[in-house]
Amino acid sequence: MTSTSVFPALAPYGWDSAWADAFTPYDAQGLLPGRVVRVDRGQCDVVTADGVVRADTAFVTPHDPMRVVCTGDWVAVEPAGNPRYVRTYLPRRTAFVRSTSSKRSEGQILAANVDHAIVAVSLAAELDLGRIERFLALAWESGAQPVVVLSKADLVPDAVTLAYLVQDVETTAPGVPVLTASATRGEGLDVLSAAVGGGTSVLLGQSGAGKSTLANALLGEDVLEVQAARDVDGKGRHTTTTRNLLALPGGGVLIDTPGLRGVGLWDAEVGVGQVFSEIEELSERCRFHDCAHESEPGCAVRSAVDAGELPVRRLESYRKLMRENQWIVAKTDARLRAEIKKDWKRKGAQGRAAMEAKRGRWR
């Protein structure tokens, strides 16, 4: 089986020889390959060689948020039936996952088989660097290459001010392309198209970040509804309510997502380390391998902060995300919970001992 001779209609959606090889067992069962372009209430739209079909996802584990069918999945679907069913999805190459807002500590998969994660940040509001770092941690952890797009650049007419904003984000996003774009003026879109062309891109950001406007500009037509952001804070309502996979005219596909209010980490230690790569590198020079970068002697990270080489905000953000990620992982790992509890007791004992020593000097 080859990607072009058997299913040429799927090539624009990312079908290749590797996916064809993975699908071979299901081809022998008479099932059809297809890519999920939309999921809605237990059913999904799947683009196949026969066109877009509607299929039920009941056969795929429905109670685990990490194993449900999601936009971007390649699936094996029945060739006919009323209803017809998705029988399984092929092993994912990448997956963009966040923690749910529920108390059950579950991960929620937002998009699958993504090559590029476009983080849209509106310049209509003050930059929230901490939120950008959070999005980037999830993007790196997914296995995708992140790209930050500062949208609505026309609202910052002063070139010097815009350059400073870009510099701030570049400092926050080491190793990540930072682009500016104005969909209303058509500026920066050619660079963005070139950066994400030929693969699968997921468009992420808060409501009001201009995602739907960017998506329409990349698509070359008004496919997605656009709503105006509030003048007060630059935020908007959820224009997009589902995740949609759309073929781009210049090649590649785009997954548009609803605005994300909550961006909780989900087992993203590697991603956090990638976002704060300069801190990870400094940590290797610390005297203690388990240095918490607080008051330990010989801490290279604290030395960099004291020397003005590392912003205090970066270190605080790093600590916050690492603590949050550790807490999320610990909720599902009893051994790790015990280790964290033991570490808390150890630090508490050290703090009490230090306080007693001070009191002894005061007497």
Side-chain angles (χ1 to χ4, degrees), residues 11 13 33 45 49 55 70 87 119 180 187 196 238 285 323 346 351:
Y13 292 90
D45 294 335
C70 79
R87 289 293 175 173
V119 180
T180 59
E187 297 172 352
V196 302
H238 292 300
R285 303 205 298 267
R323 285 196 301 266
R346 177 180 62 82

Side-chain angles (χ1 to χ4, degrees), residues 190-250:
D190 53 343
V191 179
L192 177 58
S193 296
V196 302
T200 297
S201 303
V202 61
L203 192 52
L204 306 160
Q206 289 182 286
S207 298
K211 298 188 305 300
S212 295
T213 302
L214 275 177
N216 285 336
L218 291 172
L219 291 164
E221 56 181 317
D222 292 339
V223 176
L224 302 172
E225 181 184 357
V226 176
Q227 292 180 346
R230 297 192 300 248
D231 292 334
V232 175
D233 53 12
K235 296 180 180 179
R237 291 174 292 174
H238 292 300
T239 303
T240 303
T241 56
T242 58
R243 300 170 193 95
N244 304 284
L245 185 147
L246 305 158
L248 296 172

Side-chain angles (χ1 to χ4, degrees), residues 67-81:
R67 296 178 62 191
V68 298
V69 172
C70 79
T71 303
D73 271 326
W74 284 99
V75 297
V77 66
E78 294 175 344

Side-chain angles (χ1 to χ4, degrees), residues 15-16 18-26 35 66 70 72-76 88-95 109 112-114:
W15 183 258
D16 57 28
W19 287 121
D21 290 342
F23 189 77
T24 300
Y26 307 108
R35 193 164 195 191
M66 294 288 286
C70 79
D73 271 326
W74 284 99
V75 297
T88 189
Y89 58 81
L90 301 185
R92 293 160 176 158
R93 294 178 181 175
T94 62
I109 181 167
N113 303 312
V114 173

Side-chain angles (χ1 to χ4, degrees), residues 123 150-158 162 181-187:
L123 290 177
L150 301 180
S151 64
K152 306 182 183 181
D154 54 288
L155 299 181
V156 187
D158 181 66
L162 183 60
S182 171
T184 58
R185 294 182 179 178
E187 297 172 352

